[in-house]
Amino acid sequence: MTNTSTPAVFAEPVRKVPGRWIAAFAVAWLGAWMAQLAPIQKLLPDQVQTELHTTSWVDNVVAFGVISGISGVCAIVAYPLTGALSDRTTSRFGRRRPWIAAGAVVFAVSLVLLGLQTSIVGMGVFWSLALTGFCILTAALTATISDQVPVDQRGYVSGWISAPQAIGIILGVALVTYVFVGAFVGYTAMAVLLLILVLPFLLLPDAVLPTELRERMSVRGVIEGLWISPRAHPDFGWTLLSRVLVNFGNAFGTSLLLYFLEFGLRDPNADDDLLVLILIYMVFVIVASLALGRLSDRLGRRKAFVFASSAVQGVAALLLAFVPDLSVAFVAAALLGVGYGCFLSVDQALATQVLPDPETRGKDLGIMNIALAVPQAVAPLFGAMIVAALGGFAGLFVLSALFAFAGAFAVARVKAVR
């Protein structure tokens, strides 16, 4: 039953979402991940390399990293700001749906325009706009978990964020490599698919916030709301820190795998073997995120899963650091997939259970989402600098392991969630 002192729109949901809701949610995330990851993995690096006319992988990665890093700054602003705005939205279409629609449109239009760019500056501008649209879209999508999904279903539902990510990277890269060839055609295809796949979720109901319950908004209030005191809300602080650390660890371990194969292992079949590594990684991400997310729901436990998944990623990174061999890399890819898949689903469920205020779920989850987007954005640049400075990849993978282990210890400090 809903607590009579809490307005229904802010109350913890108790009714499980049906299969059609989960299916629409998963399909929307598939569209978002394809539109983000196909550019990161294929379209944007190729665009940068074509413009630079250099075969130096360090130069290419640094240029790509600068573009990605600038877009990461946009994510820092867009995620919590969108969350705060959606928390206060009184549209008759609901609080989250208008922002999901707006984010998808901004994302799609920016991708199409990105495909027309022939300068590094133009690529940086429109990729930053595209990632801003991605943040607007996914901030609102993530908030629907806290709005509509009961606690004992959140691990499984959160798995349908990470499983589409795994499918999206393979499907997106395959489409822009073999079907929609060329920068403009590839970006446009991803934009169109994004809009088509997000549409079903927009047709589902969304709770409307009565005007009289809307909190007044000011620039100062929004800025002040971005700070959540770790003293007042230590569980939120430890969860956020764990997210930052583990996502940096994963990004350091995965963002330069092609260059590790080419220049670290001197693999003559680096492109083909990278595809095998990605397939192994993604299969284990999908299985782990769905199976272990559901298991965490049944057991009513989150911390143990997050701790173990973080530690497993650390072990995988150490294997890459100290046993640089292709067969070992395949084993490491499986361990990384198990660890990160479990982490993505269970940690998302954990995050929804440590939010300070039900009235600011969107903003608070937006802050949490920064810890996912920013490491992915800046890791290629930092990773290339680390490899260049240390003269090899071993140091990068050791750093990846240290971040993952530190994230495991950080989540162990959470008290309110088992």
Side-chain angles (χ1 to χ4, degrees), residues 48 52 56-68 380-381 384-385:
V48 169
L52 290 182
S56 169
W57 74 270
V58 174
D59 290 344
N60 285 319
V61 172
V62 168
F64 172 74
V66 170
I67 292 173
S68 191
L381 175 59
M385 294 169 62

Side-chain angles (χ1 to χ4, degrees), residues 33 36-37 40-41 44-45 60-77 79 124 127-128 130-132 134-135 165 244 247-252 254-256 340 369-385:
W33 286 128
Q36 188 215 21
L37 295 173
I40 288 176
Q41 296 294 326
L44 193 54
N60 285 319
V61 172
V62 168
F64 172 74
V66 170
I67 292 173
S68 191
I70 293 171
S71 69
V73 175
C74 296
I76 293 174
V77 176
Y79 264 132
W127 178 242
S128 295
L131 192 67
T132 299
F134 171 81
C135 293
Q165 181 182 22
V244 171
N247 279 296
F248 261 114
N250 181 268
F252 283 143
T254 59
S255 60
L256 299 181
Y340 199 53
N369 284 336
I370 292 173
L372 177 63
V374 173
Q376 290 180 344
V378 302
L381 175 59
F382 289 162
M385 294 169 62

Side-chain angles (χ1 to χ4, degrees), residues 4-133:
T4 56
S5 64
T6 303
V9 72
F10 299 133
E12 280 290 332
V14 295
R15 181 179 299 175
K16 289 190 174 183
V17 292
R20 66 179 181 278
W21 192 98
I22 298 174
F25 182 77
V27 166
W29 276 104
L30 176 62
W33 286 128
M34 276 201 303
Q36 188 215 21
L37 295 173
I40 288 176
Q41 296 294 326
K42 174 66 176 174
L43 295 172
L44 193 54
D46 285 354
Q47 219 176 351
V48 169
Q49 187 170 357
T50 299
E51 175 60 24
L52 290 182
H53 304 291
T54 177
T55 57
S56 169
W57 74 270
V58 174
D59 290 344
N60 285 319
V61 172
V62 168
F64 172 74
V66 170
I67 292 173
S68 191
I70 293 171
S71 69
V73 175
C74 296
I76 293 174
V77 176
Y79 264 132
L81 180 59
T82 298
L85 291 170
S86 70
D87 286 335
R88 295 166 172 82
T89 296
T90 57
S91 164
R92 65 188 179 90
F93 298 105
R95 289 195 297 168
R96 314 301 181 189
R97 281 196 299 179
W99 295 98
I100 293 172
V105 170
V106 170
F107 194 5
V109 172
S110 299
L111 286 175
V112 173
L113 296 176
L114 176 59
L116 298 172
Q117 303 309 304
T118 57
S119 71
I120 296 297
V121 172
M123 295 173 204
V125 169
F126 285 98
W127 178 242
S128 295
L129 289 174
L131 192 67
T132 299

Side-chain angles (χ1 to χ4, degrees), residues 70-385:
I70 293 171
S71 69
V73 175
C74 296
I76 293 174
V77 176
Y79 264 132
L81 180 59
T82 298
L85 291 170
S86 70
D87 286 335
R88 295 166 172 82
T89 296
T90 57
S91 164
R92 65 188 179 90
F93 298 105
R95 289 195 297 168
R96 314 301 181 189
R97 281 196 299 179
W99 295 98
I100 293 172
V105 170
V106 170
F107 194 5
V109 172
S110 299
L111 286 175
V112 173
L113 296 176
L114 176 59
L116 298 172
Q117 303 309 304
T118 57
S119 71
I120 296 297
V121 172
M123 295 173 204
V125 169
F126 285 98
W127 178 242
S128 295
L129 289 174
L131 192 67
T132 299
F134 171 81
C135 293
I136 294 170
L137 164 63
T138 55
L141 267 179
T142 303
T144 62
I145 298 177
S146 292
D147 291 343
Q148 301 189 44
V149 181
V151 169
D152 62 358
Q153 199 183 14
R154 287 179 188 173
Y156 177 66
V157 171
S158 296
W160 288 107
I161 297 176
S162 46
Q165 181 182 22
I167 298 168
I169 187 172
I170 291 292
L171 184 57
V173 171
L175 287 174
V176 300
T177 301
Y178 302 112
V179 181
F180 304 108
V181 180
F184 178 72
V185 174
Y187 282 119
T188 301
M190 293 300 101
V192 171
L193 287 171
L194 167 69
L195 296 175
I196 292 173
L197 294 175
V198 168
L199 181 60
F201 195 79
L202 292 173
L203 301 178
L204 298 175
D206 185 17
V208 175
L209 177 67
T211 305
E212 63 272 15
L213 295 180
R214 180 176 60 186
E215 181 183 348
R216 292 185 62 185
M217 190 171 184
S218 65
V219 174
R220 179 178 179 180
V222 170
I223 294 174
E224 290 178 348
L226 298 181
W227 171 250
I228 297 176
S229 170
R231 287 182 177 273
H233 304 285
D235 286 343
F236 183 92
W238 286 117
T239 303
L240 178 60
L241 177 61
S242 173
R243 272 196 159 200
V244 171
L245 293 169
V246 173
N247 279 296
F248 261 114
N250 181 268
F252 283 143
T254 59
S255 60
L256 299 181
L257 278 178
L258 175 60
Y259 302 111
F260 170 64
L261 294 175
E262 288 181 341
F263 302 101
L265 300 184
R266 305 293 180 184
D267 183 0
N269 302 308
D271 288 334
D272 294 336
D273 289 333
L274 177 65
L275 182 59
V276 175
L277 282 174
I278 291 174
L279 284 171
I280 293 172
Y281 174 74
M282 294 307 171
V283 166
F284 280 93
V285 166
I286 294 169
V287 172
S289 62
L290 296 178
L292 298 179
R294 171 166 279 181
L295 181 60
S296 78
D297 286 337
R298 290 180 177 176
L299 298 178
R301 292 183 176 272
R302 309 293 189 199
K303 281 200 308 182
F305 285 87
V306 177
F307 183 93
S309 65
S310 304
V312 166
Q313 292 178 75
V315 171
L318 290 178
L319 284 176
L320 292 172
F322 294 111
V323 193
D325 180 80
L326 183 60
S327 59
V328 173
F330 292 146
V331 175
L335 290 175
L336 280 170
V338 170
Y340 199 53
C342 177
F343 178 84
L344 282 172
S345 59
V346 182
D347 185 69
Q348 181 62 48
L350 172 64
T352 66
Q353 293 177 243
V354 297
L355 301 180
D357 187 345
E359 296 187 22
T360 58
R361 289 169 178 155
K363 182 264 294 180
D364 297 337
L365 283 172
I367 294 172
M368 284 286 187
N369 284 336
I370 292 173
L372 177 63
V374 173
Q376 290 180 344
V378 302
L381 175 59
F382 289 162
M385 294 169 62

